[in-house]
Amino acid sequence: MRDHTDLQTMNERSLAQQTAVRRATFSPAETKELRRFSIWEISQFMFDVAADTLRKKLAEDPSLPQGETEEDGRQRWFTLEEINELRRRVRLRGKSLLPRRPKGRATRIAVSNFKGGVGKTVVAQHLANAAALDGYRVLCVDFDPQATLTHSMGLVEVKEWNTVWGIMCRDLCREADRIAASYDDPDDCPYPASDELPEDVQSIGAQRFQDFIQRTCWPTIDIIPSCANAAFVEFASAQYRSMHKAWSFFGCMDRYLSELPDDQYDLIIFDCPPAIGYQSLNAAFAADILYIPSGPGYWEYDSTTSFLGQLGDAMQDIADGFDSLAEDAGLSLPKQFRDIKLLMTRFEVSNPLHAAMQGAFRNVFGADVCHHPIEMTRAVEQSGRFQMSVYEQDYRQMTRETWKRARQSFDAAYQEFKATVLASWPEGAREKELIDG
C-alpha cells in the first residue's frame, strides 16, 4: 500500500531532476540568458540581405553596434538589443528594417486545444520568439498551471497571486464595486461589494496593474506567468462565481488587457491549458485570433473536433446567460474572433499517414488550416526537452542543416501567422478591402 508519503518522496526526486535540467539550460546562477546571434543568422533569417552588405554597413558607420567578435575574428555576434538598434537606425535597399505595425492596441492570439501533447506551448513559445526576432514587442500570458511557457522564458519562482488567478481576484473586486455602485442605494444590491469578499481575494485584488507583468530573458518579451500552485484557479473561480452571480468571470483578462496602453506591446500571445474552464474561457473571450494546434493523428483530429464543439457551446451559453450584463461590464456578446486557424504540429513530411490526415483537415476546414505545418525534427524535440526554442538553440551545437531545417519550418509558420495577424488588424483589414476593391 502507498500513501501521501510516497507522493512526497516522488516529488522530492522530481525536484532534484528539475534542478539538474536547469543547470543544463540556465546559467550557473539559475538565470536563463538569451544567446547572441551571428551576422549569418541576422542577414539570412532576420534582415534578408547578404552578409557582406550588412558588414559593409557596419564598417561605414562605426557608431552602429559592432557586436562581439570571436577570437579568430571570423564571426561577430550580436545581442537582441543590438539587433533592434540596427533595425531602428539602418535602412537596406531604401527600406526600414522595422516590422509593420498598424495603429491601435496589440493583437491578442490564443493558442488553445483540448488535447495535451499537441504542442500548444511549443507553438506559443516559438511564435513569441520569432516575433521578438522580427522586431515586435510581445506579452505572453501563461494560463496553464503546468507553467511550461513560464519556465521556458526563464522564470522559476512565481507566486500564485502574480498569475491569472491574481488578475481574476483583482477583477472580481473591481466588478463587485462597479455593480454595487450602479444601484441608487448600494444596500439594495443583492451581490457583495469588494469589502465583503474573502480577505485573501481583497488582498490579492489590491495589487497594482503592472504587478502581474514580469520581465523575461528576452528583452522584448514580457510575461504574465503561471505556476503549479495556480492549479486551484478553477475551484476558486467557481467559488467566487457562486458568491457573486453577476460577475462576468469570463471577461477578466479582456478588461485587464484593455487597461494596457495601446503602444506598450504589439502582440499578446496566450498559452492555454488543455481543458475548457475558467482560464481557457478568459483567454477565448480576450483573444482576437484563435490558433488551434493539432497533431497529425486521428485522435488529435477527434480531440480537435470535440474542442471546437464544446468551446462553441460554452461561448453560446455565456452569450445567452450574460447578454443583459455584457455592455455594462465592458464586453461585447456574442464573442467574435477576427480569425480562427488550425496549425498542424509534429508533422513528418515523409509519413503517408500524416499527409493523409493533413488532407482530411483541409477537406473539412479548408482555408482555416495553415499551409505550413510545424515539422518534427531533432531540433524541435530538443526544444521541448530543454525548454529552449529553436531560436534559442545555438546552431553550433548540432549540424547547421538540422538547425536550419527546423528554423525554416518555424519561420514559414511564423510568416503565415504574421500575415494572418496583419490582415486581421482593423487597420490592416481596411487596407486589404481597399486593395481588393
Side-chain angles (χ1 to χ4, degrees), residues 294 296 342-349 358 362 369-376 408-410 412-413 416:
S294 177
L342 290 95
L343 174 65
M344 298 204 74
T345 59
R346 299 188 292 106
F347 188 79
E348 298 174 7
V349 177
Q358 184 181 50
R362 287 177 174 166
V369 179
C370 296
H371 291 290
H372 299 284
I374 302 298
E375 294 183 27
M376 175 56 72
Q408 287 174 333
S409 174
F410 279 107
E416 190 172 359

Side-chain angles (χ1 to χ4, degrees), residues 154-387:
L155 282 73
V156 294
E157 298 295 336
V158 176
K159 302 300 183 184
E160 56 266 27
W161 50 83
N162 289 327
T163 68
V164 170
W165 178 56
I167 290 175
M168 295 181 76
C169 288
R170 178 178 182 270
D171 184 82
L172 174 57
C173 291
R174 291 162 64 93
E175 283 295 288
D177 286 341
R178 179 192 64 78
I179 292 169
S182 68
Y183 287 79
D184 292 335
D185 185 350
D187 290 336
D188 292 336
C189 180
Y191 311 109
S194 64
D195 58 4
E196 299 173 88
L197 296 171
E199 289 186 8
D200 61 336
V201 174
Q202 293 183 51
S203 62
I204 295 170
Q207 290 189 97
R208 296 170 299 177
F209 172 78
Q210 294 288 350
D211 287 346
F212 301 99
I213 299 176
Q214 308 292 323
R215 301 292 302 273
T216 75
C217 59
W218 287 71
T220 51
I221 300 179
D222 292 339
I223 191 169
I224 296 173
S226 185
C227 67
N229 288 349
F232 63 86
V233 169
E234 299 299 315
F235 303 102
S237 299
Q239 179 187 3
Y240 303 155
R241 186 185 175 195
S242 67
M243 292 179 192
H244 202 302
K245 298 188 184 300
W247 176 44
S248 50
F249 63 92
F250 55 91
C252 303
M253 185 55 63
D254 182 67
R255 284 187 288 263
Y256 172 82
L257 293 176
S258 294
E259 297 179 56
L260 282 173
D262 283 354
D263 60 353
Q264 186 168 346
Y265 299 102
D266 305 312
L267 302 174
I268 301 176
I269 298 175
F270 307 151
D271 183 28
C272 301
I276 293 178
Y278 289 93
Q279 296 193 75
S280 55
L281 286 172
N282 259 276
F285 275 90
D288 301 309
I289 298 172
L290 183 61
Y291 239 67
I292 307 172
S294 177
Y298 172 76
W299 296 116
E300 288 95 341
Y301 175 84
D302 186 54
S303 180
T304 298
T305 301
S306 297
F307 170 75
L308 292 168
Q310 294 192 37
L311 179 60
D313 290 345
M315 294 176 70
Q316 181 180 2
D317 289 344
I318 287 173
D320 294 341
F322 285 85
D323 184 58
S324 61
L325 304 173
E327 185 175 354
D328 290 339
L331 301 169
S332 177
L333 294 178
K335 166 66 183 177
Q336 293 182 317
F337 296 107
R338 297 178 193 169
D339 209 342
I340 299 173
K341 290 290 185 182
L342 290 95
L343 174 65
M344 298 204 74
T345 59
R346 299 188 292 106
F347 188 79
E348 298 174 7
V349 177
S350 60
N351 189 320
L353 174 61
H354 292 191
M357 289 307 301
Q358 184 181 50
F361 269 83
R362 287 177 174 166
N363 183 54
V364 174
F365 301 112
D368 291 334
V369 179
C370 296
H371 291 290
H372 299 284
I374 302 298
E375 294 183 27
M376 175 56 72
T377 67
R378 176 170 168 263
V380 173
E381 288 179 324
Q382 288 188 349
S383 73
R385 189 180 307 160
F386 297 111
Q387 298 183 351

Side-chain angles (χ1 to χ4, degrees), residues 398-409:
M398 63 188 77
T399 64
R400 184 176 290 199
E401 284 306 309
T402 297
W403 178 89
K404 187 175 179 180
R405 179 186 164 197
R407 163 127 200 188
Q408 287 174 333
S409 174

Side-chain angles (χ1 to χ4, degrees), residues 121-166:
T121 299
V122 168
V123 169
Q125 177 190 16
H126 280 80
L127 291 179
N129 289 179
L133 292 178
D134 200 20
Y136 288 110
R137 299 159 300 170
V138 183
L139 174 66
C140 292
V141 184
D142 194 348
F143 285 89
D144 192 344
Q146 296 178 85
T148 306
L149 182 64
T150 297
H151 296 158
S152 75
M153 292 291 176
L155 282 73
V156 294
E157 298 295 336
V158 176
K159 302 300 183 184
E160 56 266 27
W161 50 83
N162 289 327
T163 68
V164 170
W165 178 56

